[in-house]
Amino acid sequence: MRAKSFTVCLVLLGSLFFAALSSAAVELNEDVPDVYVVKRGDTLWGISGMYLRQPWRWPELWDVNPQIDNPHLIYPGDELYLTWVNGEPRLQLRRGRDVKLDPGVRVSPLDLAIPIIPLDEIGAFLKGHRILDADALNNSAYVVAGDQGRLIAAPGDRVYGRGPFPDGERTFGIFRSGDTYSDPITGELLGYQAVDIGNARLVSSNRDEVTELTVTRVTEEVRIADRLLPQREQVLDATFQPRAPGVEVDDGYMIAVDGGVSQIGQGDIVVLNRGEREGLEVGHVLAIYQVGGLVFDEVARQNVTLPDTRAGLLMVFEVFEKASYALVLRANRPLKVMDRVKKP
């Protein structure tokens, strides 16, 4: 799954954001460069990970340089140099030669700006994935028939929908109920995966008992009982600010992975059993732990559970009431469904 690259800017946060971070000093990795020249393909997350042991604390490392015309963006060719301010490390910026700024007409080549994290696949994923609760799914409009009795629809075909069609909405996504997500500890229903099937547009503005629509896009055949949901304006948040959550995340797990693969690695998108009600927000970074196995102690002649092993990092990028989507940023070893997630 690939999508056109998104333009992303670095937002340098102010004192209110810094106050929410841990008071402990940031820790640098060993043998970090004093000067680094930004290259194409770099990300702010990757650069921060090169310098910091805890890259989600990158806002504490970057320093605003008032001499730079646009300190919110960095580009290939820019020089980053490490300094110390009151005993704390800071990265400062010297504008490279690759970016030319005309003093008369200021044009910023945003397509060259370095993103915080790679967002190509996230953008495409969000267009076709949702997690719905039972009420949202059961109370939505649905396909009741196809044109001339056919059950398969292609672009240009007509389908007939029945149910609530909100006023002012003319474009609808066609979705099918997919996987059911439940909490692995309590068994609580967290939601249903809404699988993207295509799009349809109302033929007229009338809201009769049965409403006629034209299919405009399909990923597979449209079936009777497929759901018709208003097409949401999904704007990818280009200012993801990776940070540790301010709350503890108890009994958090990766409960599913996009594509249904058995192993999870860097760049994969996973479903978490924690959402808004547990305090998760877009940008929260969580540590991934492999659950400690059960072994038999030959000396004490009893079973013991090994401690959980830290195995990676992920970042939440879409939050629902009881569940979330997250991107695996780092995987130190093969990961799998039912690995734990905790506050880093």
Side-chain angles (χ1 to χ4, degrees):
M1 176 175 60
R2 298 292 175 189
K4 184 178 179 181
S5 296
F6 288 80
T7 299
V8 184
C9 66
L10 164 63
V11 176
L12 296 171
L13 305 179
S15 58
L16 289 178
F17 179 81
F18 292 128
L21 296 169
S22 170
S23 59
V26 295
E27 296 183 64
L28 292 179
N29 291 321
E30 296 180 0
D31 301 324
V32 296
D34 292 328
V35 178
Y36 180 76
V37 179
V38 179
K39 300 184 292 294
R40 290 184 184 275
D42 280 342
T43 66
L44 294 180
W45 177 262
I47 293 172
S48 297
M50 177 174 60
Y51 281 93
L52 292 177
R53 294 184 180 180
Q54 300 173 319
W56 60 89
R57 297 181 63 181
W58 61 267
E60 297 174 85
L61 179 68
W62 297 86
D63 194 30
V64 175
N65 189 339
Q67 298 178 345
I68 299 298
D69 293 290
N70 191 343
H72 303 292
L73 301 172
I74 65 172
Y75 302 93
D78 285 351
E79 286 188 356
L80 304 174
Y81 59 98
L82 190 64
T83 62
W84 295 83
V85 178
N86 297 325
E88 296 290 334
R90 293 288 185 271
L91 272 183
Q92 295 190 346
L93 173 70
R94 281 192 289 262
R95 182 66 74 204
R97 292 175 296 175
D98 289 7
V99 178
K100 298 180 180 179
L101 299 177
D102 189 323
V105 179
R106 194 170 302 282
V107 179
S108 297
L110 296 178
D111 59 318
L112 297 179
I114 301 301
I116 293 177
I117 58 174
L119 300 182
D120 299 40
E121 294 193 1
I122 291 180
F125 181 89
L126 288 179
K127 290 180 181 179
H129 291 72
R130 305 187 196 183
I131 297 177
L132 302 176
D133 60 30
D135 288 340
L137 185 67
N138 295 331
N139 296 329
S140 61
Y142 56 92
V143 175
V144 71
D147 191 24
Q148 299 180 358
R150 291 180 298 171
L151 299 182
I152 300 175
D157 286 352
R158 299 289 177 94
V159 295
Y160 299 92
R162 191 179 186 195
F165 287 89
D167 292 337
E169 299 286 350
R170 298 190 58 81
T171 302
F172 293 82
I174 306 172
F175 289 89
R176 184 174 303 146
S177 178
D179 294 338
T180 300
Y181 299 132
S182 300
D183 190 279
I185 303 300
T186 65
E188 178 189 11
L189 175 64
L190 303 178
Y192 299 94
Q193 178 192 33
V195 180
D196 174 45
I197 303 299
N199 295 99
R201 185 175 180 82
L202 291 181
V203 172
S204 67
S205 58
N206 296 329
R207 299 296 199 276
D208 300 323
E209 182 179 2
V210 176
T211 302
E212 189 176 6
L213 304 96
T214 298
V215 175
T216 58
R217 179 185 67 89
V218 291
T219 62
E220 57 180 279
E221 67 181 25
V222 178
R223 301 175 186 170
I224 302 303
D226 282 346
R227 296 290 167 167
L228 298 165
L229 304 173
Q231 190 69 29
R232 61 178 180 174
E233 288 294 330
Q234 182 63 51
V235 179
L236 185 65
D237 188 349
T239 58
F240 282 122
Q241 298 152 8
R243 63 199 187 279
V247 297
E248 295 296 332
V249 180
D250 297 322
D251 293 329
Y253 292 89
M254 300 190 298
I255 60 173
V257 58
D258 183 44
V261 297
S262 58
Q263 290 191 335
I264 301 170
Q266 182 172 319
D268 283 338
I269 292 172
V270 297
V271 180
L272 308 181
N273 67 327
R274 292 292 179 260
E276 289 178 352
R277 67 176 181 179
E278 287 81 23
L280 285 189
E281 300 175 359
V282 171
H284 277 170
V285 173
L286 300 176
I288 306 170
Y289 287 82
Q290 290 184 331
V291 178
L294 185 68
V295 298
F296 183 71
D297 184 339
E298 296 286 354
V299 176
R301 309 301 297 175
Q302 63 183 22
N303 291 325
V304 294
T305 300
L306 300 178
D308 294 345
T309 303
R310 183 157 171 165
L313 285 172
L314 57 75
M315 189 198 73
V316 175
F317 65 85
E318 179 81 338
V319 181
F320 304 91
E321 181 186 1
K322 301 177 183 179
S324 302
Y325 286 129
L327 176 72
V328 176
L329 298 173
R330 180 186 299 168
N332 303 328
R333 59 183 67 192
L335 308 171
K336 62 183 184 303
V337 170
M338 287 305 296
D339 282 345
R340 293 181 188 272
V341 295
K342 304 177 183 179
K343 183 177 178 179

